[in-house]
Amino acid sequence: MRSLKQTDILTGSIPKQLLLFFLPIWFGTLFQQLYNTADTLIVGNFVGTNALAAVGATGAFVNLLVGLFVGLCSGAGVVIAQSWGAHDPEAVDRQVHTALVLSVGLGALLTVLGFASATPMMRLMGTPEEILADSALYLRIYSLGMIPQMLYNMGTNILRAIGDSKRPLYFLIAASLVNIVLDVVFIAVFGWGVAGAALATVLSQVASAVLTLRCIAGSEGTPWHIRAEKLRLHTEVLAAICMIGIPAAAQSAMYNVSNMLIQSSMNSFGTSTIAAWGVYGKIDFVFWMTINSLGIAITTFAGQNFGARQYDRVRNGVRVCMAMAAGVTLVISVVFYNAAEPLFRLFSQDDAVVAVGVGMMHVLTPVYITYISIEVLSGALRGCGDVRVPTLITVFFVCGLRVLWLTLMVPRYHTIATVELSYPLTWTLASLLFILYYKRGGWLKRCKAAKGLE
């Protein structure tokens, strides 16, 4: 039942297997980002700066809603990866069916929450009146796609947990092409503006969900094959998912709350800055998707090898992943710093927006390297089942300290650079704590004891 491609994570060359697993995740994340990047490019060039700012202003709140569920998805991915590595197909079967039921329920909840809170949340974040209505409209329509988005994300975690990172890539390529075509039709041809951008995104999310579910439902003879009569919440599985997923969701929520405060701070500088920050987020995402993809790869790698009791391979995988993260981060930093202006002009021809954006790039891109330890080490620890201390480090020394900086320093030194400095300060401190905990924290012994392993 287990194919060679799935067992390579347990037996193959570590650099090769991490790279082969990472690349489809990276390309998949790239095409997923094309959902919103296509919106931004087409809205910025066909509608204008206010509409561009309206779409950008929703990003922090959307990430908060989605991040809560993605944290739970990661919990499901870890428990499935550990069971698959431990050769326990019966457990995988229960975990897959529980995870899919959970995704539908939480997707429905997020739809209601996003739709009902769109205008109040945009007001709370200090969105300027001239873009408030468009921002709320985009958010309400976007919320209608939460259930398919959650089903896709959960399905992707299921496939990646058992070692398949390629098919999620194919599904996202197809969905992204749907999104781009519909963006052109709805915005450039029909003139539907912000509403057209949101509707195109929702329909592309439906496409990705349908493709993913069709794949899992068609996997007959495997533990992750969907059977309608088995779709229910197994309480012991739900507890295991929540034990890992809830801290990850809380961590994601705190990240996004702090990012919402940053968005609120940026809103105080006016429409050009809001638009520039939104565009920067689209460019900056190349770094984030790279590091997050490495984090996902090491989580699955560590989870399967921990389940198979190959602890030295877990540690060797972490060393290789850290080296890969450092190398690619240095390349991205150099390219982004030197190509800041032409990159911004892909999204906007407004000189004021470009000038602000280039300044943002020159402050943040040189300090990307201070973040990589957080992503790689927390991913490896999560894969082995250790989530408590990594969550505490992230919540207090990344998010909490960032909120403190924004609260105390930005009102006193009201500049864009002051807001941006909240990133490297918190990344550096948290990275040092992660390295110390990974080296001296005794986490592996506790993870083995919790699983009753030698």
Side-chain angles (χ1 to χ4, degrees):
M1 184 182 296
R2 187 186 293 253
S3 72
L4 177 61
K5 289 183 179 180
Q6 291 159 354
T7 57
D8 279 346
I9 290 179
L10 303 178
T11 61
S13 162
I14 292 176
K16 179 181 177 181
Q17 296 311 319
L18 275 175
L19 185 62
L20 289 176
F21 197 72
F22 156 77
L23 285 174
I25 298 172
W26 187 88
F27 280 109
T29 310
L30 172 64
F31 281 101
Q32 188 171 36
Q33 178 61 13
L34 285 178
Y35 287 157
N36 289 330
T37 301
D39 294 344
T40 306
L41 279 167
I42 297 172
V43 168
N45 285 283
F46 285 92
V47 186
T49 298
N50 277 7
L52 179 64
V55 173
T58 66
F61 185 55
V62 166
N63 289 337
L64 172 62
L65 291 179
V66 175
L68 286 169
F69 180 78
V70 170
L72 286 173
C73 284
S74 71
V78 169
V79 298
I80 293 170
Q82 290 183 354
S83 296
W84 188 234
H87 303 269
D88 189 350
E90 290 78 14
V92 172
D93 181 86
R94 294 191 302 273
Q95 291 157 0
V96 166
H97 287 87
T98 297
L100 290 173
V101 173
L102 179 64
S103 66
V104 173
L106 290 180
L109 178 63
L110 291 179
T111 297
V112 173
L113 182 61
F115 197 90
S117 63
T119 299
M121 185 55 64
M122 290 298 99
R123 287 191 185 278
L124 182 62
M125 293 173 62
T127 306
E129 285 295 327
E130 64 265 26
I131 64 172
L132 178 62
D134 276 347
S135 293
L137 175 62
Y138 183 90
L139 189 54
R140 283 195 296 272
I141 297 174
Y142 185 95
S143 297
L144 299 178
M146 284 296 181
I147 291 178
Q149 186 174 170
M150 298 307 104
L151 282 170
Y152 166 75
N153 277 296
M154 187 62 84
T156 294
N157 271 269
I158 291 168
L159 292 172
R160 287 172 178 167
I162 53 90
D164 184 355
S165 60
K166 291 183 179 179
R167 281 183 290 184
L169 166 62
Y170 304 149
F171 305 150
L172 267 179
I173 291 174
S176 298
L177 292 175
V178 170
N179 180 248
I180 292 169
V181 170
L182 291 180
D183 266 330
V184 173
V185 172
F186 292 166
I187 299 172
V189 178
F190 292 169
W192 291 352
V194 168
L199 183 59
T201 299
V202 169
L203 293 176
S204 62
Q205 289 165 348
V206 171
S208 65
V210 169
L211 290 170
T212 305
L213 290 176
R214 185 172 179 272
C215 169
I216 298 174
S219 300
E220 296 184 9
T222 67
W224 55 92
H225 172 55
I226 302 174
R227 289 172 288 278
E229 68 274 11
K230 292 190 175 184
L231 285 170
R232 65 185 182 88
L233 291 174
H234 296 267
T235 54
E236 76 284 359
V237 173
L238 182 61
I241 291 174
C242 289
M243 186 174 295
I244 296 172
I246 287 179
Q251 178 177 314
S252 175
M254 285 301 299
Y255 261 124
N256 286 297
V257 166
S258 66
N259 287 338
M260 287 172 67
L261 290 176
I262 288 175
Q263 180 69 61
S264 182
S265 296
M266 291 297 183
N267 289 350
S268 69
F269 294 100
T271 300
S272 293
T273 299
I274 297 170
W277 187 245
V279 171
Y280 172 74
K282 306 306 177 187
I283 300 170
D284 176 60
F285 192 79
V286 174
F287 167 70
W288 290 108
M289 73 180 185
T290 302
I291 298 305
N292 289 343
S293 297
L294 284 169
I296 294 168
I298 195 61
T299 298
T300 301
F301 181 92
Q304 285 202 20
N305 282 280
F306 178 82
R309 306 188 184 191
Q310 298 185 157
Y311 309 123
D312 286 341
R313 189 171 170 85
V314 171
R315 290 190 180 276
N316 289 335
V318 171
R319 284 194 287 270
V320 170
C321 196
M322 283 289 290
M324 292 169 63
V328 75
T329 297
L330 289 174
V331 171
I332 290 172
S333 297
V334 170
V335 171
F336 279 10
Y337 190 91
N338 289 289
E341 182 170 345
L343 286 172
F344 258 84
R345 289 201 180 276
L346 290 174
F347 295 86
S348 176
Q349 301 306 311
D350 187 319
D351 289 338
V353 172
V354 173
V356 173
V358 170
M360 292 173 175
M361 295 278 279
H362 285 173
V363 170
L364 288 175
T365 55
V367 297
Y368 284 162
I369 195 70
T370 62
Y371 178 77
I372 62 171
S373 295
I374 300 173
E375 191 69 31
V376 174
L377 296 183
S378 66
L381 293 166
R382 187 183 308 116
C384 295
D386 184 358
V387 293
R388 185 182 61 179
V389 173
T391 299
L392 291 175
I393 292 174
T394 302
V395 167
F396 288 104
F397 295 99
V398 178
C399 306
L401 186 58
R402 186 176 298 169
V403 169
L404 187 64
W405 175 270
L406 294 171
T407 302
L408 297 180
M409 301 305 293
V410 173
R412 186 173 181 181
Y413 304 100
H414 192 245
T415 67
I416 296 172
T418 305
V419 178
E420 292 176 297
L421 283 173
S422 64
Y423 286 103
L425 292 173
T426 54
W427 291 344
T428 300
L429 178 58
S431 289
L432 292 174
L433 291 172
F434 265 108
I435 292 169
L436 180 63
Y437 178 69
Y438 180 79
K439 292 289 188 181
R440 304 291 180 87
W443 57 273
L444 186 56
K445 182 177 180 180
R446 288 193 298 276
C447 288
K448 289 191 287 185
K451 286 286 186 178
L453 303 175
E454 297 178 359

